[in-house]
Each structure stands twice: as structure tokens, then as C-alpha cells.
Amino acid sequence: MHMQLLNNDRVIIYDFTYFGKSNLSLTQGKCVPKESKFGEILAWTRFSTDCSAHSAEYNVLSNSVRALLVQTDVWCSSGSLIADGTLVQTGGYNEGERRVRIFKPCNNGSCDWLEIKNGLAARRWYATDHILPDGRQIIIGGRGQFNYEFYPKDVAPNLYGFPFLQQTYDARIENNLYPFVHLNVDGNLFIFANNQSILFDYANNKVVKTYPIMPGGEPRNYPSTGSSVLLPLKNLQAASCEAEVMVCGGAPTGSYVQARYKGNFLGALDTCGRIKITDPNPQWIMERMPLARVMGDMKLLPNGNVLIINGAAAGTAGWTLGRNPVLNPVLYRPNNSIGSRFETQSASVRPRMYHSSAIVLRDGRVLVGGSNPNQFYNFTGVLFPSDLSLEAFNPSYLDTSVSILRPKIALARSIANLVYAQRFVVRFLVTGTLAQNMVTVTMLSPAFTTHSFSMNQRLLVLGGDNVKYVRKSMYEVEVIAPSSKNVAPSGYYMLFIVHQEIPSEGIWVRLQ
């Protein structure tokens, strides 16, 4: 249900603690605390102590899994990485609704979740987190919450009204949960909920700009569950740096009611909208995907393209409410002309439906995991069995046919720590023929992903015009680190050399 890549190449994975016993046992002597009741949604009792894990640390390099103990319910929660690489995870359900959970990376297998009781001012269930330029994270909305707060706490009571969420709320089905939030290059937040969007000055609790309603007026947030990305940021040193947001897929108006109460599964949306949020008079530009999709994940790849993966062609998010798995990922090339941007990829054999997730790894693969539209773990006798597996999607840039064009970064240690606006040189190897005018350096943030939205996802294009020959097969390029925390909040990023749209394996750098 939730995944976060850490800067030691571990992936923290966690799930609903009330699904039932998982297939991964906690270490001897550890168990999830027994609860007397669950709540009004499923209304069932946990009668026995659960000594199975509902959180895990996946080690990408060793392909191994370590059980973690999450003590309170993390169902439909949220999170962000802070500047030192620590995962700060917020909210959930029942006894977990106001928890803050801390996971600090380690390499010796000793780290686990630390939970802070009443760390939040309000219950946060289906909320969205985002890291701010000052290092705090903002937690926005959630079921029944038309407000936001900060972590660490700002001032008592640390709760601020947010009428925009009330205005976009549909009492029958909500359709504005897990709002899409992106940090704009001016330090304000672009926030999209239902079918509307604003530019928000969180420091002064003020709407700076109201954008046009997305054409068609269809809902895009949970449970209609489309997805959104901030497209790659370029010209990072210029005052005219532009930011553009893309929103894709979802379910048409009425889908949730039709699916849940009438057993009628409406076809998903096949439209995407792009809007340049820095324009004085921004307008949506609409495009059509080759495959309609609800519950799809949009992932920024290191080369600046967008992968759309997972999800269904009919129905909506929610227990057993999706139909017709979309097995083919789609690649979107944002720099191509309209009509030539989408490219359908090879299919997977596993449906990835409600409660699945996807993240980009440092080696360029896309890690895909989960899928459980059932109210408990149910592995047989249902339309879409619970799937606890992980698999990797390999974009075409990992094909062996282009391996001689794939760059390899050298001298990585010299650029492990960067400061803003720093000039630095990256040395790299290419065994094939180098196209000097087709080299770029990019930085990708490790995003927190749940329910088809990757929080804090951003790709920074640093440039690549100054490529110099060093010796046989070795080259170097000078670039400049991002100029401000508005463009790139402090923290860990994966840095890549990209040659002819083929990225190197990334290296971890810390920007501060």
C-alpha cells in the first residue's frame, strides 16, 4: 500500500495492519499490540495477538527482506523524507490516526519504527504530505479534515483552516482525498482536488491563484484516483524557470456509486491535462492516453519521460470496485509534439489493482508491488487475490541492445555532498560512440508513493552542454546544482548521467 526508497537503497514498505496475518513473521518476541475493536468501517475484532509483519525493509542490493514492527494502523496514511534522509510518516486509521512514525535509515539491521503518540493536531486519513523549502513538512486534508498542519509543529494548536477542501468536497463520495500537491518554483504549493486547482501560499494561509477547472469537469482524486506529476524542471538558475503539472486518468463522475451500489463498472478516463502553473494566464491542454486507466501510478524516469503503470480500465478505487486490469504500462515523452508522446509498453502478467504501488530505483528499474482490493488478505476464490509480491519493470533503456550507450558515473565520492548553486564536474564512461549534444545530468527525488500518487516527486534537469573528452571512453561534464530550496528542497537525490535518453545507474547525493 505504501513504499518509500531510502538513501541506503532500502525500500520501506507497509500495509494495513488489520488485513490479517501476513506471510512475513516478526522476529521472536515481537507482536502487534492487541486491539479490542477496529472501528466503524469494517467493524470486526482482532481476537488474537498478531505476530506477523505489516511493514518490511526491502534491500534492493541483496534482494532480501527484513520484517519491521509498525505498532498502530497505517491504513491510507502519508509521509515524506526530511533533509537527513529520515522517513517521517503521518496518520492512518483508528489508533494510528494522529500518530507520527519515524524511520531513520541504518545498514546494520537494527533500525525500526519509532512512534510518537498524538504527534498530529488532527486525525489524518487519506491526507497528503509535502516537504517545504524550510525543511518542515505540511500535511494537508484527509477524511473529514478541511485543514492542514505542519510537522514539526508550528505553533499551538498547529491547525489551519483550508476552505478549498470544503469547496471541492462531494459528500456522497468525497473525491478530493489524497489531493495532488506540488511545490512550485516560487515556493507556493500547487494543490489539485477533485477537478479544481489553486496556487497556495501556506505561510500566509492565502490562495494566490485559482486555475481553470480541468476540461470535462471529471474528478481525479480518491476514490476516482487518477495521478499527477510535476514535469521535469529545467533552466534551474533562471528567474524564468517554468513549472508544468500533468494530471492523468481517473474515473468519471458517479463511478463509485455505480460500482459500489449497483455493480455497474464505468469505463475509466483516458484523458490527461497539462498546465503551466507559472504562466500569467495558464490554461489546460488536454491529451488522450492510448489506454484508459484508474488507479495508475505516474513515475518520473531519470531521463525525463513519464511512466504510467498499474491500475484498471473500469470501476474505481475502493474494496473490490475495480475491473479490467491494465497490464500494459505506457510511456509519455513530454518533449515530443502532441500526438506522438505516448508509447505502449510490454505487458505484465500480474494485475496491480487497488492498494498497489510503484517507485523508481537507483538502477533505473521501477519496483512494483502489492495489490489487494479485498478487505482482508484473501489469496483464493476471489476475482483479484491479494498479491504480496514485488516485481521490477525494466524500461527500454535497460535493454542489452543499448548497453554500450549507457553511461557509467566515475569519481562519485567527490560530489556526494552538494550546496546550492555549486558548480561541479561529473566524470563518466561510455563504451560506444558518444553523442555529445545528447548528454544531460538529472537529479530525481525518492518519492513516497501510495494510492497512485507519488508525494514529493520531482526531477531536476541540470544541463549537459559542456561535455569534454578526457581519454578513451571517458568524458566529463560541468553543471550547476539547483539554485534554491524552492526549486529543490534540501535532502537526498539520485543523480544520473543521461545519454541519448539512456540513464546511468544513479548515485546518491545530498543537497544542502
Side-chain angles (χ1 to χ4, degrees), residues 133-330:
D134 62 10
R136 294 177 300 164
Q137 66 189 64
I138 188 171
I139 306 107
I140 300 174
R143 182 155 282 170
Q145 300 295 337
F146 308 119
N147 51 57
Y148 63 92
E149 62 182 286
F150 300 97
Y151 187 85
K153 290 183 177 180
D154 187 18
V155 293
N158 192 42
L159 199 63
Y160 302 85
F162 193 26
F164 175 69
L165 290 180
Q166 183 79 61
Q167 295 159 10
T168 55
Y169 175 72
D170 184 331
R172 298 167 302 167
I173 50 175
E174 296 169 287
N175 264 337
N176 69 351
L177 300 179
Y178 280 128
F180 304 143
V181 180
H182 303 289
L183 176 64
N184 192 17
V185 294
D186 64 0
N188 294 313
L189 295 174
F190 173 87
I191 304 176
F192 185 105
N194 200 332
N195 55 18
Q196 301 176 46
S197 51
I198 59 172
L199 190 63
F200 186 62
D201 176 357
Y202 58 87
N204 297 297
N205 195 17
K206 179 181 178 181
V207 175
V208 177
K209 182 182 293 186
T210 299
Y211 296 95
I213 292 177
M214 192 168 172
E218 302 285 11
R220 305 283 178 161
N221 295 90
Y222 182 91
S224 292
T225 308
S227 191
S228 176
V229 293
L230 176 70
L231 291 174
L233 297 175
K234 305 174 183 178
N235 303 317
L236 304 182
Q237 312 305 318
S240 58
C241 178
E242 296 178 337
E244 191 170 7
V245 168
M246 187 173 183
V247 177
C248 287
T253 303
S255 291
Y256 183 84
V257 171
Q258 287 288 324
R260 181 173 181 180
Y261 300 108
K262 300 181 180 180
N264 182 25
F265 302 94
L266 303 181
L269 301 174
D270 66 353
T271 52
C272 294
R274 282 177 64 163
I275 188 167
K276 196 169 291 185
I277 63 175
T278 47
D279 269 8
N281 183 30
Q283 299 294 322
W284 288 97
I285 297 174
M286 302 302 292
E287 301 178 68
R288 289 196 178 277
M289 299 184 289
L291 301 168
R293 195 180 306 250
V294 62
M295 299 181 287
D297 287 275
M298 295 178 70
K299 308 306 302 183
L300 291 171
L301 298 179
N303 60 6
N305 293 332
V306 181
L307 183 72
I308 308 174
I309 194 169
N310 300 338
T316 183
W319 304 125
T320 69
L321 300 183
R323 293 293 186 275
N324 305 339
V326 183
L327 300 178
N328 290 89
V330 166

Side-chain angles (χ1 to χ4, degrees), residues 14 33 59 64 67 81 141 175 189 287 299 311 398 425 429 470 475 507:
Y14 48 101
N59 187 325
S64 60
L81 290 182
N175 264 337
L189 295 174
E287 301 178 68
K299 308 306 302 183
L398 294 177
V425 172
L429 297 163
V470 177
Y475 307 86
I507 61 169

